[in-house]
Amino acid sequence: MKLVVLGLSLGSSWGNGHATTFRALLKAFAACGHDILFLEREVPWYAGERRDLTDPGYCWLQYYPDLQALETWAATIAEADAVIVGSYVPDGVEVARFVRKHARGVTAFYDIDTPVTLAKLARGDFEYLSPEVIPGYDVYLSFTGGPTLGRIEREFGSPAARALYCSVDAEAYRPLDVPKRWDLSYLGTYSDDRQPALERLLIETARRCPDRRFAVAGPQYPAGIAWPANVERIEHLPPARHGEFYGASRLTLNVTRADMIAAGWSPSVRLFEAAACGTPILSDRWNGLDSLFAPDREILFADTTEDAVAALGRDAAALGAAARARVLAEHTAVHRAQELEHHLTQATARKAIMKVETAPLTLVAGGAGFIGSHLCAELLARGDHVVCLDNLQTARPSNLGDLEGHPRFEFVEADVTHPLPPSITARARRFTRIYNLACAASPPQYQVDPEHTMLTCVVGTDQLLRLAELSGARFLLTSTSEVYGDPEEHPQREDYRGLVNCTGPRACYDEGKRAAEAMTFDFGRMDRAEVRVARLFNTYGPHMHLDDGRVVSNLICQALSGREITIYGDGSQTRSFCYVADTVEALIRLMECDDFDGMEPINIGNPDEMTVNELLEQVTAITRVNPRVEYHPLPIDDPRRRRPDITRARSLLGWEPRVDLRTGLVSTCAWFAEELAQGTPPEELELTCAAE
């Protein structure tokens, strides 16, 4: 791979962590066989004596005096397989425009200060990045992971935001046999928002422990700081001496900037460097740090001066050794280089697809859910380019595990009750199919937040219908047999108007879906969109939540875990269970049916009706258990009978279920058994049963 990097600095590590980050990462990346050109803007504060690297050896380092001089490198940038622009690059917005104009390969923004960047954008400070240029980068690489990545995609339209944490050169940072000079040290440039923590955890600690020795290394500290006599100040410590500094420290302090604490998941370069040297770390707290280092085993936390004083009394050598082992296993420059290669390769695959501007897109809202994930997989198998939209409120990201990395699959985390993100609206006219499966479907889930359930049905459907109107896409709403309520007509035909309690605890879902249907048909009547409505009856299969509260998942989980079986009602209430593969096949047939005006709903389900007690017999026969059964009162508004009339589906779609109940249950039981073996212990599941 030919890579061009335009970064803040590679040649000077004075007062910044960018140079050390790039040095470790690019050295490891070059070792993978890639060719690298690093372009650095000439600035006086990184020149002269502050330039401590002249010939990297692993890459070509060149300087340019101004934006106009970048034209010299236009052809090289055009020929590169990938171009990375780093944060804090002078005139970064103009550099981004230049790169976008000339680059034919993948472009990436590497943000080493993501929370600071986002705070700047919020203030309208576009020093090196602006909202205008973010969508133009094929991938946004971030020092910060966690929820911030979703925010970058939702709010700023990044096609892909990916964590690329800092790392450490394991050859340069390792334990050294040097005398211990300090009980607690800190290495970092002065920062206003870090200083209160440094005062609390090191300076005040030094005052209280006059018999111990401390050190603070780093530039730009104001002259007015009252340093205790037992705190040694080191103005500048070049990277070559970092290992010696950490080696001479019994403990070293990690202090984090306020923006990074607020964002979480923001490890610093110094954190990994100290750990690689085997030096025990005392750190402030922030979300995500415990996912990098195990508390009290690989790292110590301190909130107060008292905590820091107490830490000084510990023998923390084993903690330092454990932290080093963790870094060597997960956070070396070699690991980051492999991650960078992966991200650029994936971005290249996405870019190749996106170049085909006429390629049709299929949107699956709620695509990470139980049925939605199966639908996405089947659409991909049929050759569609699938965009999966989901807020992950009730969906499981693991449902999409087998789809990640597929060149024709994209995931967008967003809530349909909010305005659709730019990654959707910017390509509105490329959508030709829109499936709306966006809503929690089991009573325990949709009753947790009934307002959101109703808004998802109504506002979400409205937004997706408007997208269909704009794009000319065919629209399919997945409705539910719940629109029939506790039916007086049996089996239920599509023209039956139902018996629904519009004020009961299930109304948020029942009435929400009825309203969504009304809106969908109104769009169809007014020729604003080509629409279809499917009413689903009791679908089951792999990817159901272990504790989603529906009868199939509850009976299987309770049977597999050897627990008492709970039946609500006397078990004589009936349902008709349809395996998920059959449901997905019906949805696709309905979407693709051309001989259909769309102005009538279609029942999708299995007409083979059985009681809950009969279902229990099947489950216990498959799982080979003989459980004790306990009966509880039937939930409010739980239907007594449920069976679809699928005459219309047979006639219009040529569809009927093919998977018999036993075959489907065997597959479902096997999947649940594997999930229980790998995941949540059965005793921790909240199996709030319902007949749905």
Side-chain angles (χ1 to χ4, degrees):
M1 181 182 295
K2 292 182 179 179
L3 172 66
V4 175
V5 181
L6 295 99
L8 175 65
S9 181
L10 185 72
S12 173
S13 62
W14 187 86
N16 76 85
H18 295 243
T20 51
T21 295
F22 280 123
R23 290 173 187 181
L25 177 64
L26 298 183
K27 180 181 178 182
F29 196 70
C32 296
H34 304 301
D35 297 324
I36 306 167
L37 165 65
F38 193 99
L39 295 175
E40 179 174 339
R41 179 78 165 264
E42 285 185 299
V43 293
W45 49 91
Y46 292 145
E49 295 180 355
R50 293 175 176 175
R51 189 173 290 171
D52 54 353
L53 179 67
T54 55
D55 182 12
Y58 47 82
C59 75
W60 190 22
L61 172 59
Q62 294 291 308
Y63 293 88
Y64 63 97
D66 50 38
L67 281 171
Q68 186 175 359
L70 269 183
E71 291 290 343
T72 306
W73 303 101
T76 304
I77 288 172
E79 294 169 0
D81 298 295
V83 180
I84 297 175
V85 179
S87 52
Y88 283 97
V89 167
D91 297 312
V93 174
E94 289 303 318
V95 170
R97 292 173 181 149
F98 176 84
V99 167
R100 186 170 186 180
K101 175 182 177 181
H102 293 285
R104 294 196 293 265
V106 165
T107 60
F109 180 71
Y110 191 15
D111 199 342
I112 291 178
D113 295 283
T114 308
V116 177
T117 300
L118 297 182
K120 282 177 171 288
L121 294 178
R123 296 193 303 268
D125 179 355
F126 306 148
E127 177 187 359
Y128 51 84
L129 189 70
S130 71
E132 168 214 345
V133 301
I134 293 175
Y137 285 113
D138 297 305
V139 59
Y140 192 121
L141 302 170
S142 171
F143 252 36
T144 298
T148 297
L149 300 176
R151 181 186 170 194
I152 292 168
E153 293 180 349
R154 289 192 307 272
E155 296 184 17
F156 297 101
S158 169
R162 302 290 184 264
L164 189 67
Y165 292 135
C166 53
S167 62
V168 63
D169 183 342
E171 295 179 4
Y173 292 87
R174 60 188 187 278
L176 298 176
D177 185 14
V178 296
K180 301 297 182 186
R181 295 178 55 187
W182 306 294
D183 295 285
L184 180 64
S185 67
Y186 174 69
L187 173 58
T189 304
Y190 174 81
S191 172
D192 285 338
D193 58 356
R194 277 197 296 244
Q195 191 61 19
L198 185 64
E199 291 274 357
R200 185 173 66 252
L201 300 179
L202 188 146
I203 297 176
E204 180 58 30
T205 301
R207 293 191 184 104
R208 296 192 190 183
C209 302
D211 56 329
R212 294 189 182 274
R213 294 165 300 167
F214 302 81
V216 174
Q220 301 179 16
Y221 284 84
I225 296 177
W227 299 102
N230 57 340
V231 177
E232 181 178 346
R233 273 288 292 122
I234 303 171
E235 178 65 21
H236 175 60
L237 195 71
R241 293 182 55 196
H242 287 184
E244 180 184 352
F245 177 81
Y246 288 125
S249 307
R250 289 185 55 247
L251 274 174
T252 196
L253 182 64
N254 176 67
V255 178
T256 311
R257 298 187 64 171
D259 285 333
M260 294 184 176
I261 289 176
W265 287 270
S266 299
S268 69
V269 175
R270 305 291 178 244
L271 187 66
F272 292 138
E273 288 176 351
C277 291
T279 303
I281 299 168
L282 180 68
S283 179
D284 53 3
R285 297 178 191 267
W286 36 267
N287 288 336
L289 180 53
D290 57 357
S291 68
L292 301 170
F293 295 101
D296 293 322
R297 187 160 55 87
E298 297 169 341
I299 196 168
L300 296 176
F301 290 139
D303 301 309
T304 65
T305 303
E306 289 74 18
D307 294 338
V309 172
L312 291 178
R314 290 187 54 166
D315 180 2
L319 182 140
R324 172 173 165 78
R326 182 70 174 268
V327 165
L328 294 182
E330 299 179 13
H331 302 299
T332 68
V334 173
H335 292 100
R336 294 296 177 267
Q338 292 170 347
E339 292 172 14
L340 174 60
E341 186 178 62
H342 173 75
H343 293 321
L344 295 179
T345 300
Q346 291 299 312
T348 299
R350 290 192 300 269
K351 190 178 181 72
I353 293 170
M354 296 304 293
K355 282 182 179 178
V356 186
E357 292 297 327
T358 57
L361 302 177
T362 298
L363 178 65
V364 181
F370 159 44
I371 299 176
S373 57
H374 286 278
L375 177 61
C376 287
E378 182 59 27
L379 290 169
L380 287 171
R382 294 175 184 233
D384 285 20
H385 183 143
V386 177
V387 179
C388 170
L389 176 71
D390 205 298
N391 66 357
L392 300 181
Q393 184 180 39
T394 58
R396 292 160 26 110
S398 60
N399 288 346
L400 303 176
D402 292 339
L403 309 184
E404 291 179 354
H406 193 292
R408 286 183 283 103
F409 178 76
E410 301 175 50
F411 174 71
V412 177
E413 184 177 351
D415 192 315
V416 294
T417 66
H418 302 152
L420 297 177
S423 55
I424 298 295
T425 57
R427 295 179 289 166
R429 298 190 183 280
R430 290 183 57 199
F431 288 105
T432 60
R433 299 288 187 269
I434 298 174
Y435 290 86
N436 182 12
L437 290 80
C439 191
S442 75
Q445 290 177 345
Y446 66 64
Q447 289 172 356
V448 167
D449 190 349
E451 177 188 14
H452 187 267
T453 298
M454 180 67 78
L455 291 175
T456 299
C457 291
V458 179
V459 175
T461 298
D462 178 63
Q463 294 212 90
L464 294 171
L465 280 166
R466 290 175 184 272
L467 180 66
E469 180 182 22
L470 175 63
S471 63
R474 189 174 286 181
F475 176 88
L476 188 152
L477 170 71
T478 55
S479 186
T480 172
S481 58
E482 293 291 317
V483 300
Y484 299 123
D486 190 5
E488 295 176 311
E489 177 182 301
H490 196 75
Q492 292 80 55
R493 289 163 32 105
E494 290 89 347
D495 56 5
Y496 173 57
R497 297 183 180 180
L499 181 64
V500 176
N501 180 355
C502 62
T503 61
R506 301 165 72 107
C508 59
Y509 184 68
D510 302 356
E511 294 296 334
K513 286 293 188 179
R514 286 157 70 97
E517 284 194 15
M519 189 180 303
T520 300
F521 288 127
D522 282 339
F523 266 70
R525 271 187 287 270
M526 293 185 290
D527 291 325
R528 295 178 63 182
E530 185 181 355
V531 300
R532 282 105 170 82
V533 172
R535 291 176 177 169
L536 306 187
F537 283 69
N538 296 88
T539 303
Y540 72 98
H543 295 185
M544 296 181 78
H545 272 277
L546 294 174
D547 54 354
D548 75 352
R550 284 181 274 197
V551 65
V552 171
S553 57
N554 281 334
L555 294 184
I556 291 175
C557 285
Q558 289 175 329
L560 289 173
S561 61
R563 300 172 63 184
E564 178 182 88
I565 298 289
T566 304
I567 297 291
Y568 286 77
D570 61 6
S572 64
Q573 64 270 36
T574 67
R575 295 292 182 269
S576 303
F577 300 101
C578 189
Y579 190 63
V580 64
D582 285 330
T583 296
V584 166
E585 175 67 24
L587 292 176
I588 295 175
R589 288 196 184 197
L590 177 56
M591 177 66 90
E592 300 305 323
C593 181
D594 295 322
D595 299 327
F596 176 53
D597 64 9
M599 297 311 297
E600 53 189 14
I602 301 285
N603 284 339
I604 302 298
N606 193 322
D608 292 339
E609 182 182 10
M610 67 168 46
T611 68
V612 172
N613 286 331
E614 289 170 335
L615 173 66
L616 174 61
E617 291 177 5
Q618 293 250 23
V619 169
T620 55
I622 293 169
T623 58
R624 299 180 181 180
V625 299
N626 185 23
R628 188 167 69 87
V629 180
E630 185 172 290
Y631 292 88
H632 292 267
L634 201 63
I636 297 173
D637 296 332
D638 200 65
R640 293 162 297 175
R641 302 190 72 182
R642 183 70 56 75
R643 177 188 171 195
D645 183 320
I646 62 169
T647 302
R648 187 174 288 175
R650 286 191 175 110
S651 173
L652 292 174
L653 309 180
W655 173 87
E656 60 183 333
R658 293 182 296 175
V659 180
D660 65 88
L661 183 64
R662 178 172 176 77
T663 300
L665 286 177
V666 167
S667 175
T668 306
C669 285
W671 183 83
F672 272 109
E674 184 175 348
E675 288 292 295
L676 287 169
Q678 297 178 0
T680 306
E683 62 271 12
E684 295 182 13
L685 294 174
E686 296 182 7
L687 300 177
T688 307
C689 196
E692 173 60 25

